[in-house]
Amino acid sequence: MSEPATLAPEVLARIKLSFFEECEEMLGELEAGLLALKRGETDPEIINIVFRAAHSIKGGGASFGLDSMVHFAHKMESVLAAVRSNQLTLNAALLGLLLRAADVLTDHVRAARGGCQLEGSAAQEIETALSALAPNGTSIGEASDHEPSEQVGFPTLAADAEASSLAATRERRWIIRFRPHASLYASANEPLFLLRELQYLGEVRTTLDDSELPSIEDLAPEEAYLLWTISLTSTADEQDIRRVFEFVEAECDLKIELFDESSAAREAVSRKIVDAVAVNEQTGGVRPSTYRDGIAAGGAASRLGETIRVDVERVDRLINLASELVVSHTILAQRLAGIGSASASETELPLDELHQLTRELQHGVMAIRAQPLKVVFQRLSRLVREVEAATGKQVNLVVEGESTEVDRTVIERLIDPLTHMIRNAIDHGIEAPEERLASGKPVQGTLRISAAHRAGRIIIEIADDGCGINRARVHAAARSRGLISGDAGLSEHEIDQLIFLPGFSTAKAVSELSGRGVGMDVVRSGVQALGGRISVLSYPGKGTTFVLSLPLTLAVMDGMLISVCDRHLIVPLNTLLETIHPKLDAIRSLGAQARILSIRGEHVPLIDLGQALGYRTETAEIKCVILLVEDDAGRRAALLVDDVLGQHQVVIKSIQANYRLVEGIAAATILGDGRVALILDVNSILLSHARWSAPVEQRLAAG
């Protein structure tokens, strides 16, 4: 791969990094558009978006000499251009090819980013299939008698069809006069890329008119002085040529006309024509601030005012500083509380203002790191296609809530767990086509992934309409692998949890998808490392749903400081419903140790937090405070604690990274006096006592 030599290596590296980051965004747009077409949407703008994405990747790649990637993108762009002009019929078969081509283009981009070339017969097969689709050839839907006849139609003008037919019969010579405005440069576009793009249409000869270029003393860097006259010999029509300039047409003077043999312009052009290679020398290579020619006219300037690119490390440092400010505020508040009442009253208002500013700063910097889950969900479409091909199953992926925002760190660490779960859902959950037909289900299975904010957390559900968990098979597999004893009597819920055990697998043979016993154990470990929880609901013959509950951020949270056995703990505020000073007649005993709390006609299990965490062995007397809490699954319980000390905003520190995973503890924090306080994992505590949630009403009814 050749690279422009006019820039310092470190500058070029930064530009290329920005280009590849934008490529990821454009690849996402490309795939999202193709999937929308696959769903049956017929808005003509969708195919335009897809085309522009491929066009932009090609144009940017050409500026860095990424020939292999540019060559493939051009093949794909040509097919998309034929679809836009209705020269190709967009049917199910063509959409399937374009989706596979999008996967290959993604591989090309990532290979180029790693400094290598993409190799493999699969990529070559896709490229060959694209090459075979000549603009005026037969669509692949017509070439196969077995493909569905679904089509997505786009309006075509008769003039366009006539022009396309004429362009296909003979070559013509076009004269293009192109004068950029100053706004074209200001919006990060580069004439060199546009001139290079014309070479894909035919033979190009270019001359540069620099007669308006002033002396160096009068030169204004932000102004535009150059004019290019291009001679293009091609079968392309005027619409094809304008398509090259469509992103900048509002920011330049552009005139396109057929070459007139008798005009005086012919002599003027012929005297000054030079080879297109000279353009590289005259324009001086790549402009440092530009690498993308795919910004819509008029949109670039406004986009510069809406978004900026910031190095992630800078954002992380800002978040760390905001977190330390939270700690400093807590320390300051605690120390001022020990000063005399007169002094304390004088500092109360400034301290409140500092607290408010601290919270606003913290919320602001956390919002900078927030990203929509779309960046994760977009990757799953390709994964589903790959697993479909490997298993021979048909799957319809339905995505909901992809605009839900969550901390970038959480997003990055979600990819592996979700990958495992998607593979398992298709491989183990959704039945083969013949099995689905036999059970009265559609041949195509449905895999639904949804995300939503709930109670200050992010809830992600992965649901399939497959056969559900085969509990007898799971129980037998766990017993045969020595994961449980042979006489273990387990409930349905406990059997479902066996799939998360290390080394568990029901696969009869090792394959690329399963059989090694590392899938769901990896998922649970990854989710727990994020301070989250995973649960499973399965219905035989109807499907299985996995629910992931994760924190929105891994940095700062609001919590209630409590005391248990002279130890300070933090209860996440989003799990706390209310605090209660109970009356003795509201508490009833069930058996030797179990107790329940009656509150407004509802009965919830009463958990002695000190006993649950191993701080004491004897059940505490009811002379304390009770916290009514609720976990992500909607289970409620009453936690018996010694005292409630007040609400605090705390900085989350990983206990697993610094010590080990502790049951019932999610993380830790540093208090204002320098002591460490543990943050409760309410989900884990309630799950450990879940056996009381369902049977409570039954026991009460039995007297």
Side-chain angles (χ1 to χ4, degrees):
M1 291 182 290
S2 60
E3 294 180 344
T6 56
L7 298 176
E10 61 275 10
V11 176
L12 181 61
R14 288 198 299 270
I15 297 174
K16 289 183 74 171
L17 178 61
S18 297
F19 164 69
F20 284 122
E21 288 176 349
E22 287 206 356
C23 274
E24 292 294 335
E25 297 175 5
M26 290 182 282
L27 287 168
E29 293 174 0
L30 189 152
E31 184 177 45
L34 291 175
L35 290 174
L37 294 173
K38 185 179 179 181
R39 291 193 299 268
E41 299 183 28
T42 58
D43 185 353
E45 183 58 24
I46 297 176
I47 195 66
N48 291 333
I49 292 172
V50 173
F51 173 85
R52 284 196 292 266
H55 177 77
S56 299
I57 293 173
K58 184 186 79 171
S63 67
F64 294 108
L66 306 175
D67 299 333
S68 177
M69 184 183 82
V70 170
H71 180 74
F72 185 86
H74 177 64
K75 298 283 187 183
M76 188 174 181
E77 179 193 34
S78 299
V79 173
L80 290 169
V83 172
R84 289 211 306 177
S85 61
N86 276 4
Q87 294 173 284
L88 277 178
T89 300
L90 189 60
N91 53 32
L94 180 53
L95 275 171
L97 174 62
L98 289 173
L99 281 167
R100 294 195 296 276
D103 296 340
V104 174
L105 182 57
T106 300
D107 292 337
H108 270 293
V109 170
R110 291 173 183 171
R113 187 169 189 169
C116 58
Q117 296 282 354
L118 179 65
E119 298 178 356
S121 58
Q124 185 59 47
E125 289 175 4
I126 299 299
E127 185 171 336
T128 301
L130 292 173
S131 301
L133 294 174
N136 290 302
T138 303
S139 75
I140 56 178
E142 298 168 353
S144 172
D145 296 331
H146 304 289
E147 293 291 348
S149 61
E150 305 162 10
Q151 298 179 357
V152 179
F154 296 95
T156 304
L157 297 177
D160 293 341
E162 182 180 351
S164 297
S165 176
L166 178 62
T169 58
R170 63 181 178 84
E171 285 190 339
R172 291 175 295 175
R173 192 171 179 184
W174 297 89
I175 301 300
I176 306 161
R177 292 178 175 82
F178 170 52
R179 182 193 296 273
H181 299 165
S183 60
L184 183 143
Y185 298 107
S187 60
N189 281 286
E190 170 60 62
L192 172 62
F193 300 161
L194 303 174
L195 302 183
R196 283 179 177 173
E197 186 73 17
L198 289 172
Q199 297 181 48
Y200 289 103
L201 298 180
E203 181 183 352
V204 174
R205 299 184 68 83
T206 307
T207 183
L208 169 67
D209 183 354
D210 59 358
S211 59
E212 296 184 11
L213 192 66
S215 63
I216 190 67
E217 293 82 6
D218 299 327
L219 184 68
E222 69 278 4
E223 292 299 325
Y225 302 101
L226 305 179
L227 165 67
W228 282 273
T229 302
I230 305 104
S231 170
L232 171 65
T233 304
S234 171
T235 60
D237 58 18
E238 182 176 346
Q239 181 183 7
D240 294 329
I241 299 171
R242 288 194 179 276
R243 191 176 294 135
V244 174
F245 298 91
E246 66 179 335
F247 303 121
V248 298
E249 198 163 353
E251 299 171 333
C252 68
D253 295 331
L254 180 67
K255 186 175 182 181
I256 303 172
E257 57 186 0
L258 280 171
F259 185 71
D260 185 354
E261 295 286 344
S262 61
S263 68
R266 179 175 182 271
E267 296 182 4
V269 172
S270 62
R271 287 196 305 266
K272 302 178 70 176
I273 284 182
V274 294
D275 193 87
V277 176
V279 174
N280 296 350
E281 301 173 358
Q282 294 164 339
T283 55
V286 180
R287 180 181 296 267
S289 62
T290 178
Y291 43 82
R292 180 181 177 187
D293 64 341
I295 301 177
S302 62
R303 181 173 295 185
L304 291 174
E306 295 174 357
T307 61
I308 58 173
R309 289 191 178 274
V310 182
D311 192 293
V312 174
E313 291 185 2
R314 295 185 180 183
V315 178
D316 288 341
R317 285 198 297 269
L318 182 60
I319 290 175
N320 290 335
L321 289 173
S323 300
E324 293 304 319
L325 182 59
V326 172
V327 175
S328 298
H329 172 267
T330 303
I331 294 173
L332 178 61
Q334 185 164 335
R335 292 184 178 177
L336 286 176
I339 302 177
S341 58
S343 300
S345 62
E346 294 175 0
T347 59
E348 184 176 349
L349 181 58
L351 189 62
D352 288 342
E353 293 177 351
L354 174 61
H355 175 66
Q356 183 63 28
L357 290 173
T358 301
R359 291 185 67 88
E360 291 179 5
L361 174 62
Q362 184 263 323
H363 290 153
V365 297
M366 292 313 303
I368 294 176
R369 278 192 65 96
Q371 288 187 332
L373 281 167
K374 181 179 180 180
V375 297
V376 176
F377 288 175
Q378 281 180 338
R379 301 189 183 191
L380 302 181
S381 297
R382 177 177 183 176
L383 176 63
V384 169
R385 292 195 295 273
E386 292 174 349
V387 181
E388 274 184 307
T391 60
K393 299 177 181 179
Q394 300 179 32
V395 181
N396 176 35
L397 177 64
V398 179
V399 176
E400 299 173 348
E402 59 183 7
S403 61
T404 304
E405 291 190 338
V406 67
D407 187 275
R408 177 191 175 98
T409 305
V410 176
I411 286 180
E412 292 171 349
R413 292 162 65 179
L414 262 179
I415 295 174
D416 285 345
L418 286 178
T419 297
H420 280 298
M421 298 179 76
I422 297 299
R423 288 177 178 272
N424 277 351
I426 299 176
D427 190 27
H428 295 293
I430 295 178
E431 310 94 330
E434 58 275 11
E435 294 179 30
R436 293 183 64 86
L437 283 175
S439 59
K441 293 183 179 180
V443 173
Q444 188 179 53
T446 298
L447 182 62
R448 187 179 303 275
I449 303 175
S450 63
H453 288 152
R454 192 181 304 160
R457 293 176 72 84
I458 179 76
I459 305 298
I460 299 176
E461 295 186 358
I462 301 96
D464 65 71
D465 66 344
C467 58
I469 295 177
N470 187 328
R471 295 189 174 98
R473 187 179 174 190
V474 168
H475 190 276
R479 188 171 61 249
S480 66
R481 290 174 177 262
L483 300 176
I484 59 173
S485 61
D487 58 350
L490 303 177
S491 66
E492 291 185 350
H493 173 75
E494 290 170 330
I495 293 175
D496 292 345
Q497 299 304 309
L498 294 176
I499 64 175
F500 296 109
L501 292 178
F504 177 83
S505 176
T506 59
K508 297 179 181 179
V510 174
S511 68
E512 294 181 359
L513 297 177
S514 60
R516 303 186 185 275
V518 295
M520 298 309 295
D521 176 43
V522 171
V523 170
R524 183 172 66 173
S525 298
V527 172
Q528 288 179 341
L530 288 169
R533 183 66 49 190
I534 181 171
S535 59
V536 56
L537 300 171
S538 186
Y539 305 95
K542 296 182 179 180
T544 301
T545 299
F546 289 91
V547 181
L548 278 65
S549 172
L550 300 160
L552 293 178
T553 176
L554 303 180
V556 181
M557 61 168 282
D558 289 315
M560 185 69 73
L561 181 64
I562 62 172
S563 174
V564 177
C565 299
D566 296 325
R567 293 173 174 85
H568 287 175
L569 302 166
I570 299 291
V571 180
L573 208 59
N574 56 43
T575 66
L576 182 59
L577 300 179
E578 61 179 298
T579 59
I580 305 167
H581 290 280
K583 297 179 180 179
L584 291 178
D585 58 2
I587 297 173
R588 295 179 58 181
S589 297
L590 291 177
Q593 293 183 330
R595 293 180 293 184
I596 61 170
L597 173 69
S598 176
I599 174 171
R600 292 184 290 275
E602 180 183 3
H603 298 91
V604 295
L606 179 61
I607 302 172
D608 183 346
L609 193 56
Q611 202 172 25
L613 297 177
Y615 294 157
R616 56 178 169 234
T617 57
E618 298 296 329
T619 303
E621 296 294 331
I622 306 300
K623 56 180 181 181
C624 310
V625 181
I626 289 178
L627 305 180
L628 184 62
V629 295
E630 183 178 67
D631 69 2
D632 300 322
R635 289 185 293 260
R636 292 189 177 188
L639 302 182
L640 187 62
V641 304
D642 295 342
D643 199 5
V644 176
L645 305 177
Q647 182 178 333
H648 292 269
Q649 191 176 45
V650 298
V651 177
I652 301 171
K653 303 292 184 181
S654 171
I655 192 171
Q656 186 173 3
N658 296 287
Y659 178 54
R660 63 178 176 82
L661 183 64
V662 179
E663 190 70 24
I665 302 299
T669 189
I670 301 174
L671 300 177
D673 57 4
R675 288 187 295 174
V676 174
L678 300 178
I679 301 174
L680 294 181
D681 184 349
V682 172
N683 288 298
S684 175
I685 293 172
L686 268 60
L687 189 60
S688 298
H689 292 74
R691 64 181 180 274
W692 297 112
S693 300
V696 162
E697 296 297 337
Q698 299 173 10
R699 296 188 183 194
L700 287 174

